[in-house]
Amino acid sequence: MNSSINESDKRRWLKTAAGYAAGLLFGLGLAISGMTDPARVVGFLDVAGAWDPTLMFVLGGAVLTTFIGYRLVFKRPAPLLGGVFQLPTKRELDAKLLGGAALFGIGWGLSGYCPGPAIASISALSLPLLAMLVTMVLGWFAAKRL
């Protein structure tokens, strides 16, 4: 019996490891920047009160990183761990997109969490975070049905 790992298994393992590494890096970035604290997000959205501009700098850093990253990645003929680049082809705004964006914004404003920081904050689970996570999962199931 050959105990060596075949190429398909190696590629699958590398893709999984890369996904976990990306998630860990994302979660660390959220924690270091303070974006796992819902008060920071609510403070950013409170433009008429005690406005906290921290989120603007985090978003600016994300846009800059994405801008540079896309230029580097698309110089390659194919992804490192995939067959072809899979880019969205839909370009028009429709009711589902606008409705989903509105629900996302309302949920983000009410809870102070978007999905990434919410999942990164699970270790400090609170009742408001649990409520947000439950409604997020219910939203996923509802979206699949629509």
Side-chain angles (χ1 to χ4, degrees):
M1 180 171 180
N2 188 355
S3 63
S4 66
I5 300 174
N6 66 33
E7 280 301 312
S8 175
D9 288 340
K10 282 183 190 178
R11 184 171 292 273
R12 188 176 12 257
W13 188 89
L14 279 172
K15 285 175 82 168
T16 301
Y20 279 112
L24 179 62
L25 183 62
F26 180 66
L28 283 172
L30 290 172
I32 290 168
S33 66
M35 291 301 110
T36 55
D37 178 7
R40 278 258 164 103
V41 174
V42 172
F44 175 75
L45 297 173
D46 185 11
V47 293
W51 185 62
D52 180 359
T54 309
L55 181 58
M56 186 183 323
F57 295 108
V58 173
L59 292 172
V63 168
L64 181 64
T65 303
T66 301
F67 180 80
I68 294 168
Y70 267 77
R71 267 131 195 88
L72 294 174
V73 166
F74 286 134
K75 285 184 178 180
R76 299 186 49 80
L80 286 173
L81 300 174
V84 296
F85 289 112
Q86 296 178 7
L87 300 173
T89 56
K90 189 174 177 182
R91 300 263 186 223
E92 63 275 351
L93 300 177
D94 61 8
K96 287 173 91 173
L97 176 66
L98 295 174
L103 283 173
F104 174 87
I106 291 167
W108 188 34
L110 289 174
S111 71
Y113 287 108
C114 68
I119 292 170
S121 299
I122 285 179
S123 64
L125 190 63
S126 64
L127 189 56
L129 175 58
L130 179 63
M132 184 274 174
L133 290 169
V134 167
T135 56
M136 181 176 73
V137 170
L138 290 174
W140 287 340
F141 286 113
K144 283 187 172 236
R145 294 224 155 174
L146 296 176

mmCIF file of all heavy atoms in Angstrom, residues 88-132:
data_model
loop_
_atom_site.group_PDB
_atom_site.id
_atom_site.type_symbol
_atom_site.label_atom_id
_atom_site.label_comp_id
_atom_site.label_asym_id
_atom_site.label_seq_id
_atom_site.Cartn_x
_atom_site.Cartn_y
_atom_site.Cartn_z
ATOM 1 N N PRO A 88 -17.227 37.430 -11.125
ATOM 2 C CA PRO A 88 -18.658 37.605 -11.379
ATOM 3 C C PRO A 88 -18.897 38.205 -12.756
ATOM 4 O O PRO A 88 -18.124 39.040 -13.223
ATOM 5 C CB PRO A 88 -19.107 38.570 -10.272
ATOM 6 C CG PRO A 88 -17.869 39.153 -9.709
ATOM 7 C CD PRO A 88 -16.731 38.264 -10.052
ATOM 8 N N THR A 89 -19.958 37.759 -13.385
ATOM 9 C CA THR A 89 -20.293 38.281 -14.708
ATOM 10 C C THR A 89 -21.479 39.233 -14.653
ATOM 11 O O THR A 89 -21.669 40.029 -15.561
ATOM 12 C CB THR A 89 -20.643 37.121 -15.661
ATOM 13 O OG1 THR A 89 -21.699 36.354 -15.086
ATOM 14 C CG2 THR A 89 -19.436 36.230 -15.894
ATOM 15 N N LYS A 90 -22.258 39.153 -13.581
ATOM 16 C CA LYS A 90 -23.436 40.012 -13.438
ATOM 17 C C LYS A 90 -22.986 41.431 -13.112
ATOM 18 O O LYS A 90 -22.202 41.653 -12.208
ATOM 19 C CB LYS A 90 -24.320 39.463 -12.324
ATOM 20 C CG LYS A 90 -25.648 40.121 -12.224
ATOM 21 C CD LYS A 90 -26.493 39.408 -11.187
ATOM 22 C CE LYS A 90 -27.807 40.108 -11.012
ATOM 23 N NZ LYS A 90 -28.607 39.476 -9.992
ATOM 24 N N ARG A 91 -23.497 42.408 -13.853
ATOM 25 C CA ARG A 91 -23.076 43.799 -13.675
ATOM 26 C C ARG A 91 -24.214 44.730 -13.246
ATOM 27 O O ARG A 91 -23.963 45.825 -12.797
ATOM 28 C CB ARG A 91 -22.493 44.331 -14.985
ATOM 29 C CG ARG A 91 -21.293 43.564 -15.462
ATOM 30 C CD ARG A 91 -20.059 44.267 -15.024
ATOM 31 N NE ARG A 91 -18.890 43.616 -15.591
ATOM 32 C CZ ARG A 91 -17.804 43.394 -14.908
ATOM 33 N NH1 ARG A 91 -17.730 43.752 -13.668
ATOM 34 N NH2 ARG A 91 -16.783 42.810 -15.466
ATOM 35 N N GLU A 92 -25.469 44.300 -13.416
ATOM 36 C CA GLU A 92 -26.579 45.203 -13.142
ATOM 37 C C GLU A 92 -27.005 45.134 -11.667
ATOM 38 O O GLU A 92 -26.812 44.130 -10.995
ATOM 39 C CB GLU A 92 -27.772 44.910 -14.049
ATOM 40 C CG GLU A 92 -28.382 43.540 -13.871
ATOM 41 C CD GLU A 92 -27.702 42.439 -14.662
ATOM 42 O OE1 GLU A 92 -26.835 42.731 -15.502
ATOM 43 O OE2 GLU A 92 -28.035 41.272 -14.426
ATOM 44 N N LEU A 93 -27.569 46.249 -11.204
ATOM 45 C CA LEU A 93 -28.131 46.308 -9.858
ATOM 46 C C LEU A 93 -29.574 45.837 -9.943
ATOM 47 O O LEU A 93 -30.327 46.290 -10.791
ATOM 48 C CB LEU A 93 -28.088 47.746 -9.330
ATOM 49 C CG LEU A 93 -26.710 48.392 -9.218
ATOM 50 C CD1 LEU A 93 -26.851 49.834 -8.752
ATOM 51 C CD2 LEU A 93 -25.830 47.617 -8.277
ATOM 52 N N ASP A 94 -29.945 44.925 -9.077
ATOM 53 C CA ASP A 94 -31.327 44.463 -9.059
ATOM 54 C C ASP A 94 -31.873 44.546 -7.637
ATOM 55 O O ASP A 94 -31.169 44.911 -6.697
ATOM 56 C CB ASP A 94 -31.454 43.051 -9.637
ATOM 57 C CG ASP A 94 -30.666 41.999 -8.871
ATOM 58 O OD1 ASP A 94 -30.121 42.309 -7.801
ATOM 59 O OD2 ASP A 94 -30.604 40.858 -9.340
ATOM 60 N N ALA A 95 -33.145 44.220 -7.482
ATOM 61 C CA ALA A 95 -33.815 44.345 -6.188
ATOM 62 C C ALA A 95 -33.172 43.440 -5.139
ATOM 63 O O ALA A 95 -33.056 43.822 -3.974
ATOM 64 C CB ALA A 95 -35.299 44.026 -6.336
ATOM 65 N N LYS A 96 -32.747 42.237 -5.540
ATOM 66 C CA LYS A 96 -32.124 41.324 -4.577
ATOM 67 C C LYS A 96 -30.819 41.899 -4.039
ATOM 68 O O LYS A 96 -30.553 41.846 -2.839
ATOM 69 C CB LYS A 96 -31.880 39.960 -5.222
ATOM 70 C CG LYS A 96 -33.133 39.145 -5.439
ATOM 71 C CD LYS A 96 -32.854 37.894 -6.228
ATOM 72 C CE LYS A 96 -32.530 36.749 -5.308
ATOM 73 N NZ LYS A 96 -32.419 35.465 -6.014
ATOM 74 N N LEU A 97 -30.003 42.466 -4.918
ATOM 75 C CA LEU A 97 -28.735 43.053 -4.487
ATOM 76 C C LEU A 97 -28.977 44.264 -3.589
ATOM 77 O O LEU A 97 -28.382 44.384 -2.515
ATOM 78 C CB LEU A 97 -27.887 43.460 -5.695
ATOM 79 C CG LEU A 97 -26.583 44.177 -5.360
ATOM 80 C CD1 LEU A 97 -25.628 43.248 -4.629
ATOM 81 C CD2 LEU A 97 -25.943 44.728 -6.606
ATOM 82 N N LEU A 98 -29.859 45.166 -4.017
ATOM 83 C CA LEU A 98 -30.132 46.374 -3.237
ATOM 84 C C LEU A 98 -30.804 46.042 -1.904
ATOM 85 O O LEU A 98 -30.467 46.618 -0.866
ATOM 86 C CB LEU A 98 -30.974 47.349 -4.049
ATOM 87 C CG LEU A 98 -30.277 47.907 -5.300
ATOM 88 C CD1 LEU A 98 -31.250 48.745 -6.118
ATOM 89 C CD2 LEU A 98 -29.043 48.705 -4.935
ATOM 90 N N GLY A 99 -31.728 45.084 -1.916
ATOM 91 C CA GLY A 99 -32.383 44.661 -0.681
ATOM 92 C C GLY A 99 -31.406 44.014 0.282
ATOM 93 O O GLY A 99 -31.425 44.278 1.489
ATOM 94 N N GLY A 100 -30.534 43.156 -0.252
ATOM 95 C CA GLY A 100 -29.526 42.513 0.588
ATOM 96 C C GLY A 100 -28.554 43.527 1.177
ATOM 97 O O GLY A 100 -28.184 43.440 2.353
ATOM 98 N N ALA A 101 -28.149 44.497 0.370
ATOM 99 C CA ALA A 101 -27.244 45.534 0.861
ATOM 100 C C ALA A 101 -27.917 46.363 1.949
ATOM 101 O O ALA A 101 -27.291 46.710 2.965
ATOM 102 C CB ALA A 101 -26.798 46.428 -0.295
ATOM 103 N N ALA A 102 -29.191 46.656 1.770
ATOM 104 C CA ALA A 102 -29.926 47.426 2.781
ATOM 105 C C ALA A 102 -30.050 46.634 4.077
ATOM 106 O O ALA A 102 -29.820 47.172 5.171
ATOM 107 C CB ALA A 102 -31.308 47.801 2.256
ATOM 108 N N LEU A 103 -30.394 45.349 3.978
ATOM 109 C CA LEU A 103 -30.484 44.514 5.176
ATOM 110 C C LEU A 103 -29.131 44.398 5.877
ATOM 111 O O LEU A 103 -29.043 44.449 7.105
ATOM 112 C CB LEU A 103 -31.005 43.122 4.821
ATOM 113 C CG LEU A 103 -32.491 43.012 4.563
ATOM 114 C CD1 LEU A 103 -32.849 41.619 4.051
ATOM 115 C CD2 LEU A 103 -33.278 43.339 5.816
ATOM 116 N N PHE A 104 -28.064 44.246 5.100
ATOM 117 C CA PHE A 104 -26.721 44.185 5.666
ATOM 118 C C PHE A 104 -26.426 45.466 6.430
ATOM 119 O O PHE A 104 -25.967 45.436 7.576
ATOM 120 C CB PHE A 104 -25.678 43.978 4.561
ATOM 121 C CG PHE A 104 -24.265 44.041 5.051
ATOM 122 C CD1 PHE A 104 -23.637 42.916 5.548
ATOM 123 C CD2 PHE A 104 -23.552 45.232 5.022
ATOM 124 C CE1 PHE A 104 -22.336 42.976 6.014
ATOM 125 C CE2 PHE A 104 -22.253 45.308 5.471
ATOM 126 C CZ PHE A 104 -21.637 44.168 5.973
ATOM 127 N N GLY A 105 -26.681 46.613 5.812
ATOM 128 C CA GLY A 105 -26.401 47.900 6.450
ATOM 129 C C GLY A 105 -27.223 48.118 7.701
ATOM 130 O O GLY A 105 -26.710 48.613 8.719
ATOM 131 N N ILE A 106 -28.491 47.751 7.658
ATOM 132 C CA ILE A 106 -29.345 47.899 8.834
ATOM 133 C C ILE A 106 -28.849 47.009 9.970
ATOM 134 O O ILE A 106 -28.721 47.452 11.113
ATOM 135 C CB ILE A 106 -30.818 47.585 8.473
ATOM 136 C CG1 ILE A 106 -31.377 48.678 7.558
ATOM 137 C CG2 ILE A 106 -31.679 47.435 9.724
ATOM 138 C CD1 ILE A 106 -32.691 48.307 6.895
ATOM 139 N N GLY A 107 -28.546 45.765 9.650
ATOM 140 C CA GLY A 107 -28.028 44.842 10.672
ATOM 141 C C GLY A 107 -26.700 45.300 11.238
ATOM 142 O O GLY A 107 -26.451 45.214 12.450
ATOM 143 N N TRP A 108 -25.844 45.813 10.372
ATOM 144 C CA TRP A 108 -24.532 46.303 10.798
ATOM 145 C C TRP A 108 -24.699 47.502 11.724
ATOM 146 O O TRP A 108 -24.059 47.598 12.764
ATOM 147 C CB TRP A 108 -23.716 46.666 9.563
ATOM 148 C CG TRP A 108 -22.287 47.005 9.793
ATOM 149 C CD1 TRP A 108 -21.450 46.466 10.726
ATOM 150 C CD2 TRP A 108 -21.500 47.939 9.051
ATOM 151 N NE1 TRP A 108 -20.197 47.012 10.604
ATOM 152 C CE2 TRP A 108 -20.204 47.915 9.585
ATOM 153 C CE3 TRP A 108 -21.776 48.782 7.987
ATOM 154 C CZ2 TRP A 108 -19.179 48.713 9.090
ATOM 155 C CZ3 TRP A 108 -20.743 49.564 7.495
ATOM 156 C CH2 TRP A 108 -19.467 49.525 8.047
ATOM 157 N N GLY A 109 -25.575 48.411 11.351
ATOM 158 C CA GLY A 109 -25.801 49.597 12.172
ATOM 159 C C GLY A 109 -26.447 49.275 13.509
ATOM 160 O O GLY A 109 -26.114 49.870 14.533
ATOM 161 N N LEU A 110 -27.380 48.336 13.525
ATOM 162 C CA LEU A 110 -28.062 47.986 14.773
ATOM 163 C C LEU A 110 -27.170 47.195 15.719
ATOM 164 O O LEU A 110 -27.203 47.407 16.933
ATOM 165 C CB LEU A 110 -29.331 47.174 14.471
ATOM 166 C CG LEU A 110 -30.485 47.937 13.839
ATOM 167 C CD1 LEU A 110 -31.608 46.979 13.464
ATOM 168 C CD2 LEU A 110 -30.998 49.008 14.792
ATOM 169 N N SER A 111 -26.385 46.277 15.182
ATOM 170 C CA SER A 111 -25.580 45.403 16.040
ATOM 171 C C SER A 111 -24.150 45.884 16.214
ATOM 172 O O SER A 111 -23.503 45.553 17.204
ATOM 173 C CB SER A 111 -25.563 43.979 15.472
ATOM 174 O OG SER A 111 -24.790 43.933 14.273
ATOM 175 N N GLY A 112 -23.637 46.629 15.239
ATOM 176 C CA GLY A 112 -22.229 47.016 15.279
ATOM 177 C C GLY A 112 -21.318 45.934 14.727
ATOM 178 O O GLY A 112 -20.097 46.062 14.757
ATOM 179 N N TYR A 113 -21.897 44.845 14.233
ATOM 180 C CA TYR A 113 -21.109 43.744 13.689
ATOM 181 C C TYR A 113 -21.457 43.516 12.229
ATOM 182 O O TYR A 113 -22.620 43.568 11.848
ATOM 183 C CB TYR A 113 -21.419 42.421 14.413
ATOM 184 C CG TYR A 113 -20.881 42.307 15.805
ATOM 185 C CD1 TYR A 113 -21.733 42.369 16.896
ATOM 186 C CD2 TYR A 113 -19.532 42.103 16.038
ATOM 187 C CE1 TYR A 113 -21.253 42.227 18.192
ATOM 188 C CE2 TYR A 113 -19.042 41.971 17.320
ATOM 189 C CZ TYR A 113 -19.909 42.033 18.393
ATOM 190 O OH TYR A 113 -19.426 41.894 19.660
ATOM 191 N N CYS A 114 -20.448 43.227 11.410
ATOM 192 C CA CYS A 114 -20.695 42.618 10.120
ATOM 193 C C CYS A 114 -20.202 41.178 10.254
ATOM 194 O O CYS A 114 -19.603 40.816 11.270
ATOM 195 C CB CYS A 114 -20.056 43.405 8.975
ATOM 196 S SG CYS A 114 -18.275 43.412 8.906
ATOM 197 N N PRO A 115 -20.438 40.301 9.291
ATOM 198 C CA PRO A 115 -20.147 38.880 9.492
ATOM 199 C C PRO A 115 -18.714 38.557 9.906
ATOM 200 O O PRO A 115 -18.496 37.733 10.803
ATOM 201 C CB PRO A 115 -20.487 38.255 8.138
ATOM 202 C CG PRO A 115 -21.561 39.144 7.598
ATOM 203 C CD PRO A 115 -21.165 40.533 8.029
ATOM 204 N N GLY A 116 -17.713 39.180 9.286
ATOM 205 C CA GLY A 116 -16.320 38.863 9.641
ATOM 206 C C GLY A 116 -15.998 39.140 11.095
ATOM 207 O O GLY A 116 -15.572 38.238 11.835
ATOM 208 N N PRO A 117 -16.196 40.373 11.564
ATOM 209 C CA PRO A 117 -15.938 40.661 12.970
ATOM 210 C C PRO A 117 -16.824 39.859 13.925
ATOM 211 O O PRO A 117 -16.397 39.522 15.028
ATOM 212 C CB PRO A 117 -16.230 42.158 13.089
ATOM 213 C CG PRO A 117 -15.964 42.689 11.742
ATOM 214 C CD PRO A 117 -16.413 41.605 10.801
ATOM 215 N N ALA A 118 -18.049 39.548 13.520
ATOM 216 C CA ALA A 118 -18.919 38.753 14.380
ATOM 217 C C ALA A 118 -18.322 37.371 14.616
ATOM 218 O O ALA A 118 -18.259 36.892 15.756
ATOM 219 C CB ALA A 118 -20.307 38.636 13.764
ATOM 220 N N ILE A 119 -17.862 36.736 13.556
ATOM 221 C CA ILE A 119 -17.271 35.406 13.705
ATOM 222 C C ILE A 119 -15.950 35.492 14.457
ATOM 223 O O ILE A 119 -15.647 34.639 15.292
ATOM 224 C CB ILE A 119 -17.127 34.739 12.322
ATOM 225 C CG1 ILE A 119 -18.531 34.428 11.790
ATOM 226 C CG2 ILE A 119 -16.283 33.479 12.392
ATOM 227 C CD1 ILE A 119 -18.586 33.988 10.361
ATOM 228 N N ALA A 120 -15.172 36.553 14.211
ATOM 229 C CA ALA A 120 -13.906 36.730 14.930
ATOM 230 C C ALA A 120 -14.130 36.998 16.412
ATOM 231 O O ALA A 120 -13.219 36.802 17.216
ATOM 232 C CB ALA A 120 -13.110 37.876 14.302
ATOM 233 N N SER A 121 -15.332 37.432 16.789
ATOM 234 C CA SER A 121 -15.635 37.776 18.186
ATOM 235 C C SER A 121 -16.325 36.652 18.951
ATOM 236 O O SER A 121 -16.705 36.839 20.106
ATOM 237 C CB SER A 121 -16.530 39.017 18.222
ATOM 238 O OG SER A 121 -15.892 40.106 17.629
ATOM 239 N N ILE A 122 -16.482 35.489 18.346
ATOM 240 C CA ILE A 122 -17.222 34.400 18.983
ATOM 241 C C ILE A 122 -16.629 34.030 20.343
ATOM 242 O O ILE A 122 -17.355 33.659 21.254
ATOM 243 C CB ILE A 122 -17.310 33.174 18.051
ATOM 244 C CG1 ILE A 122 -18.330 33.454 16.962
ATOM 245 C CG2 ILE A 122 -17.664 31.917 18.810
ATOM 246 C CD1 ILE A 122 -18.502 32.346 15.958
ATOM 247 N N SER A 123 -15.315 34.169 20.511
ATOM 248 C CA SER A 123 -14.707 33.792 21.789
ATOM 249 C C SER A 123 -15.212 34.654 22.941
ATOM 250 O O SER A 123 -15.144 34.245 24.095
ATOM 251 C CB SER A 123 -13.183 33.873 21.702
ATOM 252 O OG SER A 123 -12.782 35.208 21.480
ATOM 253 N N ALA A 124 -15.722 35.848 22.656
ATOM 254 C CA ALA A 124 -16.285 36.734 23.681
ATOM 255 C C ALA A 124 -17.791 36.837 23.472
ATOM 256 O O ALA A 124 -18.361 37.920 23.445
ATOM 257 C CB ALA A 124 -15.628 38.108 23.606
ATOM 258 N N LEU A 125 -18.440 35.691 23.315
ATOM 259 C CA LEU A 125 -19.858 35.642 22.974
ATOM 260 C C LEU A 125 -20.709 36.380 24.007
ATOM 261 O O LEU A 125 -20.577 36.177 25.205
ATOM 262 C CB LEU A 125 -20.317 34.184 22.867
ATOM 263 C CG LEU A 125 -21.699 33.955 22.295
ATOM 264 C CD1 LEU A 125 -21.771 34.433 20.846
ATOM 265 C CD2 LEU A 125 -22.055 32.484 22.356
ATOM 266 N N SER A 126 -21.563 37.247 23.499
ATOM 267 C CA SER A 126 -22.512 37.985 24.330
ATOM 268 C C SER A 126 -23.899 37.775 23.731
ATOM 269 O O SER A 126 -24.037 37.268 22.617
ATOM 270 C CB SER A 126 -22.159 39.472 24.346
ATOM 271 O OG SER A 126 -22.290 40.015 23.037
ATOM 272 N N LEU A 127 -24.924 38.189 24.457
ATOM 273 C CA LEU A 127 -26.282 38.027 23.958
ATOM 274 C C LEU A 127 -26.515 38.807 22.663
ATOM 275 O O LEU A 127 -27.076 38.251 21.712
ATOM 276 C CB LEU A 127 -27.302 38.427 25.031
ATOM 277 C CG LEU A 127 -28.751 38.096 24.706
ATOM 278 C CD1 LEU A 127 -28.933 36.616 24.407
ATOM 279 C CD2 LEU A 127 -29.654 38.526 25.838
ATOM 280 N N PRO A 128 -26.073 40.085 22.557
ATOM 281 C CA PRO A 128 -26.259 40.788 21.274
ATOM 282 C C PRO A 128 -25.511 40.114 20.115
ATOM 283 O O PRO A 128 -26.040 40.037 19.004
ATOM 284 C CB PRO A 128 -25.695 42.183 21.544
ATOM 285 C CG PRO A 128 -25.776 42.355 23.016
ATOM 286 C CD PRO A 128 -25.572 40.993 23.591
ATOM 287 N N LEU A 129 -24.311 39.608 20.375
ATOM 288 C CA LEU A 129 -23.566 38.916 19.323
ATOM 289 C C LEU A 129 -24.279 37.631 18.936
ATOM 290 O O LEU A 129 -24.405 37.328 17.744
ATOM 291 C CB LEU A 129 -22.132 38.625 19.780
ATOM 292 C CG LEU A 129 -21.280 37.805 18.822
ATOM 293 C CD1 LEU A 129 -21.160 38.483 17.463
ATOM 294 C CD2 LEU A 129 -19.900 37.564 19.427
ATOM 295 N N LEU A 130 -24.757 36.889 19.910
ATOM 296 C CA LEU A 130 -25.489 35.654 19.615
ATOM 297 C C LEU A 130 -26.732 35.957 18.783
ATOM 298 O O LEU A 130 -27.013 35.266 17.805
ATOM 299 C CB LEU A 130 -25.877 34.943 20.914
ATOM 300 C CG LEU A 130 -26.670 33.643 20.742
ATOM 301 C CD1 LEU A 130 -25.840 32.601 19.993
ATOM 302 C CD2 LEU A 130 -27.111 33.111 22.093
ATOM 303 N N ALA A 131 -27.454 37.018 19.139
ATOM 304 C CA ALA A 131 -28.646 37.409 18.374
ATOM 305 C C ALA A 131 -28.273 37.740 16.940
ATOM 306 O O ALA A 131 -28.961 37.340 15.996
ATOM 307 C CB ALA A 131 -29.339 38.594 19.043
ATOM 308 N N MET A 132 -27.162 38.457 16.763
ATOM 309 C CA MET A 132 -26.726 38.816 15.406
ATOM 310 C C MET A 132 -26.354 37.566 14.609
ATOM 311 O O MET A 132 -26.731 37.422 13.455
ATOM 312 C CB MET A 132 -25.528 39.778 15.490
ATOM 313 C CG MET A 132 -25.062 40.289 14.152
ATOM 314 S SD MET A 132 -23.911 39.159 13.414
ATOM 315 C CE MET A 132 -23.669 39.891 11.840
#
